[in-house]
Every structure is written in structure tokens, then in C-alpha cells.
Amino acid sequence: MKHLFSNIKGDLFGGITAGIVALPLALAFGVSSGLGPSAGLYGAILIAFFASLFGGTSTQISGPTAPMTAVSMVVIASIIAANDGNVKQALPTILTVFLLAGIIQVGLGLLGFGKYIRYIPYPVVSGFMTAIGLIILVTQILPSTGYYVKEDSSFVDKFKPKAQEIILKNILKEEAGKGILVINDIKETLKRSSKITENDILKEAKILASKEASGVLGTLKVLPRALKSINFLELALALFTILIIYGFKRITTVIPSTLVALVIMTAATLLLKLEYRPIEKITGSFPIPNLAIFSKFSITQIKPYIFTAFTLALLGAIDSLLTSVVADNMTKTKHKPNKELVGQGIGNSIAAIFGGIPGAGATIRTVINIKSGGKTKLSGMIAGIMLLIILLGLGPIASKIPAAVLAGVLITVGIGVMDYKGLKAIPNLPKDLKMGPIKISSEVIIMITVLLLSTFWDLVYAVGIGLVIASLIFMKKIGDVTARRSNITSLKEKAWDDESEFPENLSKEVFIKHINGPLFFGSTSNFQQLAKQIPDTATTVIIRMGKMPYVDQSGLFALEDILIDLEKNGIQVLFVDVLQQPKYMMEKIGIIPELISKEHTFKTFSDCLEWVKNNVKNKI
């Protein structure tokens, strides 16, 4: 506690500054997520406070971030669509998924997974971050031009036949659930169908239209329609916001340019009495728990989103720990990764219960906190309190912010979040894979795959596929390295130092296999060529295993097949220096002593050499 208050002045200034910087982003991310600006503020307040209180990075400022919001946006849209467009009905399920993500983060921290996050390949992270930027950039084009698909009546009308079909299906499904047989009681179905109003059909058609226009592909589909009906006032508000954000940075970075743009543009629209579209109303009341998370909990509703919750948790962990590394470099301190995950998980869990969107450690806010004097956890907690004061005191005023201004803020976020370092490195990366006549970098393949799949398909699956591809390529590379270092060589070729005294007259009869490194599923294909490579003159093969620390099941069975083939061909096999783990595995399945007797297993090469001199005859 004493340490917490050791830098009150610096932490106060750092926390207040970071909180002010977080305000426009919290509002923008809330609107972008689909739950509204209040959800963004609730997330920023609660995550900042509790992640700082329980986390393992003293100067970290947490809250909604671009990657977390992009994934949350997909989750929210799919759950709302599954609940017939009813946000209120979908909210408990949405928040339960966010709560589960927070709990998973806590679990990852308690199990000590924090130190393993750094092993996620950079190309996967790079492709994902660039995709996040593109998604935000493209999806904000429509609000920047003042186009809202639900208000495009000619587009919505196209979905009315499908809307009627869905409404009728829902009636039949509901009747089946109540045990009403439509064939026997068609009058009941007709009676209920007759009560369908034009407003019901229109409402369902708007939901379908919104779904059609969601995401990058959806935006591109309706973009021609948006460009034909541009609201030039909304477009001007977005463009001026972007100009102020980039222009003000050239004047000074002491005051956050996003906040300056937000204040100037909102004030200008109010003073000029322009007819613009404001953001959703912010209640300005203290966040209250959404107890429906617990009272309406259903495992069947959550089941399809468990993998998504895990992805959110993992993404938040990566995002936070990368920011922790930045903070360490600036403060010359060392964060506690597992404790940081626990803190982030607690913050996200509490935010979910109170209706906030999930978040993570935010690099820009953390850097600003440190530069403003923040040194302890108190700075992050003050940032959360500052946002709460703004919510309670300025909620009604904040509700007057133009929606196009927040779209402009998000466009700059999208541009900023892309990994330009990774993109610039593409031409210089080593071309280590050959695809027909073309050579290409494996890292570029991973990066582009994750980028395209994330942008045009699914963020969650893109990361999973990227990790699988990265793992397969890594295993192939390790297998190739192992194979290159463990080629079959006769003693006339390069031999190990202790093989120099091997009898020259037996060099045609005896061949040595050096295994340098583990024998695992990535290296078995080359190892299986052993029997085919041995010339007809060979009667004995010595396999030296002193540098083979590990063998997996695939490697074990590959070795067994080779030994059986060699035995059929009348070739004697000798093992030298079998290490503990491989020996244990071989004894478990009977390679030792059934295929290779203990008399043919030697501790040292000199013992093996003595046996060869006494038992192998020169036939040439």
C-alpha cells in the first residue's frame, strides 16, 4: 500500500491524462462494437481500474482496444442476428461470452501461461493486426458517408420475402415446441400468420439487410449504393476530424489530437446548428450489473462461442503482454506476465458483468501515462476513475457527439493499428519455400493468409489456421535441418572424431547413421529412406544416438519399420549411446531387446568398434 502512494503527483497527472486520451477511443470502440458508446465507456472504466489493481505491470493502462473490439464486433453481430435483431434479448449471451473470456484469462495466468504467449509467431500477429486495421478502415466508410443500410428502403425491400419466410418458420418452430401439429390444427397457424404486420416484416427485413451489409465483404457490396447517396455533411465531419487528428500532432503531442478533434468538431456542429446524426444516447448513470447473465444462463447458447471466448482471451493476453514489454523498456522495470493475465481477466470479467466491452493493455495510453509521470498501479486506477467522472458529469453532453466524428476517429485508429513494419519487411524476407518454379517466403505466406482470412472471412478461424500453418512450416524446417545433419555416411566421407581409427578394410561393410537432434514426426520422412540408401556391400549399420535427446511415437514407429526392413535384408544393426528418453520409449514397445538385443546396444563407440573388429568380416 505504501508503494501504491509513493508517486501520487506523477500518478495523478499520468492517470488523468491517460483517462482523457481514452475517452474518444472508448466511445468510438463502443459504437463500433454494436453495443453503443456507454458499453465502451463501461469497459474503459472497469478494465482500467481492476486490471491495474490486480495486474502485474505497474504503469499499464487498459481498456477497449482495436483488436479486441474487432473480434467483439463479430461476436456481437452474430449473437444479435441469432436473437432476431433484439439487442436486449441478445445482451446476456454477449456479456456471458465476454465474462467467459475474462475467466479464461484468469485461468491462463494461474496456470502460468503468461510466459508462453511470446512464442506465438510474429507473422500471425502481423497479419492479424493489419487485418484489424483494414476491417476498421473499410467498415467505417459507410458511417463516414452518412449511409445507414436500415434507412435504405429500396435495399431493405429486397429482403421482405425472406423476412416473411423467417417469420413463418419461427411460428412453426414455436408451435412444434408447444406440441401443436400444424396439419391437424392449420387454423391456429393461419390465425397467428394473419397477425403478422407490415412493421414485423419490415423489422425482420432490416435485420437481414444489416447482416448482408456487415463486415468488409458486406460493406463492399453496398458501397456503390452508399456512394450514390453521400451525405456530404457527414462526410465533411469525418474528413475534418481526420485532418485535425493528423494536423494537430504536428503542432504538439502534449494534448491528445483525438480529444481535440472530438471537442472542436462537436462544438462546431452545435454552434452552427447543423442537422447531423449524433451517437446513441449516453445515460450518464453509474454502471449497474446485468444479472441476466446469471439468471438466463444457458450452456446451449454459449456452446458455439466457447472457441471465440478463448480467442478473445488469447488475443487480450497477447495485446496486454506486448504493451507490458513496451512499458518495461520505457521504465527499465520487469512486469509479471502471469499476474498481468490474472489482472486483465478480472478486469474483463467485471466489465462484462456491468455491460462493458472487453479490452486489453493499450500501448498509446500506457506510453502517455509513463511520459506524464505515472509510475505505479495508482495511475491506471485514476484513469478509470477519471472516465467515471466524465461519464457521470458529461454523459448528456457526450451524447451530442456526431457519429461521423467517431467514424473519423476510428479511421485514424485503423490506419495506425496496421503493422507497417511487417509489411515493409516482405520484400526482404528469405524465400525459403519453393512452389513450382516460384520461391516465396514461408513467413509471407503465413502473414498474407492470416491477413486475407481475417479481413474477408473470420478473425477467429484465421488466427487458428495461421497458427496451424506456422506450426507445420516450423516442423518441416526442423525436420529438414535434422535430416540434413543426420545423413547416412560411409566412413570414407566426413566422420566424427572418434571414428578416425575405424578399420579401412571394413569401410564398405559398415555404414554409420548419425542422428543429430530429435527424431519426431517432422523428420521421419527423410529418416525412412535409410534402408534404401544402404548399398549392397553393407552388412552392418551403426546408428549413433548420443545426440538424439528425444523420440516421439511417429519417430519410434518409423525406426521400428526401418529395423524390420534391415533385418529382412540380413543387415545387422548396432545402437550406440542411446539416451534415457529414447531408450525408455524403445523398451516400452520392444525395439530393445526384441529387434536390437542388449548385446548390440553399446554405451560408447569404442565398445561398438571392438565388437565390429571381432564380428564383421571383410568380404571384398
Side-chain angles (χ1 to χ4, degrees):
M1 187 63 72
K2 185 179 177 181
H3 176 69
L4 189 65
F5 296 103
S6 61
N7 184 48
I8 291 178
K9 187 179 177 181
D11 290 337
L12 185 66
F13 192 67
I16 290 172
T17 308
I20 291 170
V21 171
L23 175 63
L25 297 175
L27 294 170
F29 288 139
V31 172
S32 175
S33 73
L35 290 186
S38 296
L41 274 175
Y42 294 163
I45 292 164
L46 296 164
I47 298 168
F49 188 88
F50 288 103
S52 292
L53 180 61
F54 296 105
T57 312
S58 298
T59 53
Q60 181 106 291
I61 305 293
S62 302
T65 61
M68 293 294 278
T69 304
V71 177
S72 301
M73 188 168 57
V74 176
V75 178
I76 292 163
S78 60
I79 296 175
I80 289 174
N83 284 270
D84 301 323
N86 190 325
V87 179
K88 190 176 180 181
Q89 185 179 312
L91 193 58
T93 305
I94 293 167
L95 297 179
T96 304
V97 173
F98 295 162
L99 174 61
L100 181 60
I103 293 168
I104 291 170
Q105 277 187 322
V106 174
L108 290 173
L110 293 175
L111 292 170
F113 277 87
K115 59 186 175 183
Y116 296 111
I117 299 295
R118 65 179 182 270
Y119 294 116
I120 291 180
Y122 180 79
V124 174
V125 177
S126 177
F128 183 80
M129 293 303 290
T130 302
I132 293 296
L134 285 173
I135 291 167
I136 292 172
L137 201 58
V138 174
T139 55
Q140 292 309 306
I141 293 173
L142 299 184
S144 295
T145 57
Y147 179 82
Y148 292 85
V149 72
K150 287 184 179 181
E151 296 171 9
D152 186 346
S153 55
S154 61
F155 185 71
V156 171
D157 286 345
K158 294 178 182 179
F159 295 90
K160 283 186 175 180
K162 181 70 176 175
Q164 292 178 61
E165 181 188 329
I166 289 170
I167 292 169
L168 287 170
K169 276 184 179 179
N170 289 338
I171 289 172
L172 293 172
K173 194 185 291 183
E174 192 179 328
E175 288 181 350
K178 291 179 179 179
I180 299 171
L181 296 173
V182 177
I183 295 172
N184 296 341
D185 196 1
I186 193 72
K187 289 181 181 179
E188 178 63 24
T189 306
L190 291 172
K191 183 181 175 183
R192 297 184 68 179
S193 300
S194 65
K195 291 180 180 178
I196 299 170
T197 65
E198 187 62 32
N199 281 337
D200 293 331
I201 296 167
L202 182 62
K203 183 182 175 184
E204 187 64 41
K206 284 182 176 180
I207 293 166
L208 292 171
S210 295
K211 194 174 180 181
E212 182 72 12
S214 65
V216 172
L217 286 175
T219 300
L220 295 176
K221 281 179 187 176
V222 299
L223 187 58
R225 302 182 69 88
L227 296 176
K228 286 178 184 176
S229 57
I230 295 174
N231 184 320
F232 287 100
L233 172 60
E234 300 290 320
L235 180 61
L237 291 175
L239 290 175
F240 275 114
T241 301
I242 294 166
L243 287 172
I244 292 170
I245 288 171
Y246 287 124
F248 196 79
K249 283 180 181 177
R250 293 178 176 271
I251 300 170
T252 179
T253 55
V254 174
I255 304 171
S257 60
T258 49
L259 184 68
V260 172
L262 201 68
V263 172
I264 290 175
M265 294 308 298
T266 304
T269 51
L270 291 172
L271 289 171
L272 296 171
K273 296 182 180 179
L274 301 175
E275 293 183 9
Y276 65 93
R277 177 189 290 270
I279 62 172
E280 290 178 38
K281 188 177 180 182
I282 300 171
T283 57
S285 58
F286 198 89
I288 56 171
N290 191 319
L291 298 177
I293 294 175
F294 307 105
S295 62
K296 295 184 179 179
F297 177 78
S298 169
I299 191 68
T300 52
Q301 285 184 317
I302 299 302
K303 200 174 178 182
Y305 304 103
I306 291 173
F307 180 64
T308 306
F310 184 80
T311 305
L312 262 174
L314 198 61
L315 177 60
I318 297 166
D319 211 357
S320 299
L321 294 180
L322 286 175
T323 303
S324 295
V325 172
V326 172
D328 284 352
N329 291 336
M330 291 183 70
T331 59
K332 308 302 178 191
T333 57
K334 190 165 179 62
H335 72 281
K336 298 174 182 175
N338 295 320
K339 191 177 180 183
E340 182 60 33
L341 289 189
V342 171
Q344 292 292 333
I346 291 171
N348 278 316
S349 299
I350 294 172
I353 292 169
F354 283 85
I357 60 173
T363 307
I364 294 171
R365 280 160 264 178
T366 300
V367 169
I368 287 170
N369 175 43
I370 295 167
K371 285 185 176 179
S372 301
K375 288 184 179 178
T376 76
K377 294 181 176 188
L378 188 63
S379 58
M381 295 161 70
I382 289 170
I385 294 167
M386 181 66 192
L387 285 167
L388 180 61
I389 293 167
I390 293 170
L391 170 69
L392 297 176
L394 302 175
I397 297 171
S399 297
K400 298 183 184 298
I401 295 169
V405 169
L406 285 189
V409 170
L410 282 169
I411 286 171
T412 63
V413 170
I415 293 168
V417 82
M418 287 192 274
D419 182 33
Y420 298 103
K421 184 181 177 182
L423 292 171
K424 285 177 183 175
I426 287 176
N428 303 318
L429 291 171
K431 295 175 173 60
D432 52 354
L433 283 184
K434 195 171 183 181
M435 300 178 73
I438 303 169
K439 281 188 174 183
I440 191 167
S441 166
S442 58
E443 296 196 351
V444 172
I445 289 174
I446 297 164
M447 190 189 302
I448 299 299
T449 301
V450 174
L451 170 59
L452 293 176
L453 291 179
S454 297
T455 306
F456 297 106
W457 182 43
D458 189 287
L459 283 160
V460 176
Y461 290 116
V463 172
I465 290 168
L467 287 172
V468 169
I469 294 172
S471 300
L472 290 172
I473 290 174
F474 170 75
M475 288 183 287
K476 183 186 182 302
K477 286 181 179 179
I478 292 297
D480 290 346
V481 169
T482 305
R484 280 197 300 270
R485 292 180 61 192
S486 54
N487 287 329
I488 300 250
T489 59
S490 76
L491 289 173
K492 285 186 178 179
E493 298 176 19
K494 188 177 179 181
W496 287 1
D497 292 341
D498 58 354
E499 296 165 6
S500 58
E501 296 180 6
F502 198 91
E504 182 68 24
N505 64 317
L506 297 178
S507 61
K508 295 293 183 183
E509 285 77 15
V510 180
F511 280 77
I512 296 178
K513 171 70 176 176
H514 302 115
I515 304 181
N516 290 326
L519 181 59
F520 68 113
F521 60 91
S523 61
T524 54
S525 59
N526 287 295
F527 186 74
Q528 285 167 337
Q529 301 300 315
L530 172 61
K532 298 175 185 177
Q533 293 172 13
I534 298 173
D536 295 336
T537 56
T539 60
T540 303
V541 171
I542 298 172
I543 302 180
R544 301 196 64 175
M545 299 183 175
K547 295 182 181 179
M548 186 183 82
Y550 172 82
V551 61
D552 71 356
Q553 196 170 18
S554 299
L556 203 63
F557 289 151
L559 178 63
E560 185 180 39
D561 290 341
I562 288 166
L563 294 175
I564 291 169
D565 287 342
L566 292 174
E567 187 180 47
K568 285 178 182 176
N569 294 330
I571 296 173
Q572 178 71 60
V573 179
L574 309 175
F575 282 175
V576 178
D577 194 15
V578 186
L579 300 178
Q580 187 177 355
Q581 191 271 348
K583 187 176 183 181
Y584 172 79
M585 294 290 284
M586 290 178 201
E587 288 175 343
K588 290 293 280 185
I589 70 163
I591 288 179
I592 299 174
E594 292 174 20
L595 288 174
I596 307 296
S597 66
K598 291 187 177 180
E599 290 75 20
H600 292 156
T601 305
F602 303 94
K603 286 186 177 181
T604 64
F605 185 72
S606 58
D607 292 339
C608 179
L609 182 59
E610 190 65 32
W611 187 94
V612 167
K613 288 177 180 178
N614 295 330
N615 294 276
V616 177
K617 304 298 181 185
N618 183 4
K619 293 183 179 181
I620 298 173

